Amino acid sequence: MNTPVKLAVVYYSSTGTIATIAQEIAQAAEKAGAEVRLLKAAELAPQSAIDSNPAWAANAAATADVAVATPEDLDWADAIIFGSPTRFGNIAAQLKQFIDTLGGLWAQGKLADKVYSGFTSTATTHGGQESTLLALYNSVHHFGGILVTPGYTDPAKFADGNPYGTSHVDAQGNNPVNDTTRTAARVQAERVVKVAAGLKAAASA
């Protein structure tokens, strides 16, 4: 019998939108049969900056028990789904810093042949969702990873409209994660698990 797909959901979230989507993805992947590690990138901002923003401070407290991602988690995983808010059309420094610690695994070829995908959020419509995911995926190409995006493989994807990965417009916290985004997250998680399971089965055949 094939062993379950091992999925690492690695995210950075300041005020909680990405954390909410990450939890939705993790739950959907578990329901699809995966063994999941929900992990956050280490915070780089000073405590004073966090404390100055009530939503940021609240999310930090709410996710205090989420483990901080390590390179070992990616070594363990068959598939990785990264999540980050946009920062000027790119991924947040906190997630980038974590990715930059993966040189040892990359040099050993241990990041290759895994499935990768990503999700994001922005404060405004057209605020960098696609460019953030494309920037993230540049690293996947260097890893020799297998990029699995949701595309328009499910009718629900025409509602959220982003084939590159799940994305959400939070309007500076005024638009909580809604059913459209949650559905997109589930579609993405299920597709990643399905493809990773197929690749894992083929490798062990």
Side-chain angles (χ1 to χ4, degrees):
M1 180 178 293
N2 292 326
T3 58
V5 168
K6 294 179 289 187
L7 171 67
V9 180
V10 181
Y11 74 91
Y12 173 72
S13 184
S14 53
T15 58
T17 299
I18 290 294
T20 300
I21 299 171
Q23 291 163 2
E24 191 73 37
I25 285 174
Q27 292 169 5
E30 286 181 340
K31 289 179 181 177
E35 180 182 352
V36 179
R37 292 185 185 179
L38 178 63
L39 306 156
K40 64 187 178 185
E43 183 59 82
L44 302 178
Q47 191 63 44
S48 58
I50 298 170
D51 292 340
S52 70
N53 183 327
W56 197 350
N59 180 62
T63 59
D65 61 342
V66 176
V68 172
T70 68
E72 186 279 332
D73 292 308
L74 268 64
D75 190 17
W76 165 85
D78 302 307
I80 300 97
I81 304 180
F82 288 117
S84 173
T86 190
R87 293 291 185 266
F88 303 113
N90 211 322
I91 63 174
Q94 289 86 344
L95 183 61
K96 181 61 165 63
Q97 193 275 339
F98 172 69
I99 290 173
D100 287 347
T101 70
L102 302 176
L105 289 180
W106 168 81
Q108 298 174 68
K110 291 185 176 181
L111 298 177
D113 303 329
K114 297 176 185 286
V115 168
Y116 295 85
S117 200
F119 60 99
T120 190
S121 69
T122 58
T124 59
T125 304
H126 309 302
Q129 294 180 350
E130 294 175 358
S131 66
T132 298
L133 292 174
L134 289 170
L136 169 65
Y137 295 157
N138 285 337
S139 296
V140 175
H141 298 310
H142 283 257
F143 295 163
I146 300 165
L147 185 58
V148 176
T149 61
Y152 293 109
T153 58
D154 186 285
K157 287 302 297 175
F158 290 96
D160 85 292
N162 190 344
Y164 298 90
T166 301
S167 59
H168 182 75
V169 178
D170 79 345
Q172 299 289 1
N174 292 311
N175 291 336
V177 175
N178 57 22
D179 287 343
T180 297
T181 301
R182 291 181 187 278
T183 298
R186 291 194 292 271
V187 168
Q188 184 170 12
E190 290 166 1
R191 179 166 164 78
V192 166
V193 172
K194 177 182 177 181
V195 173
L199 291 169
K200 191 169 184 175
S204 63

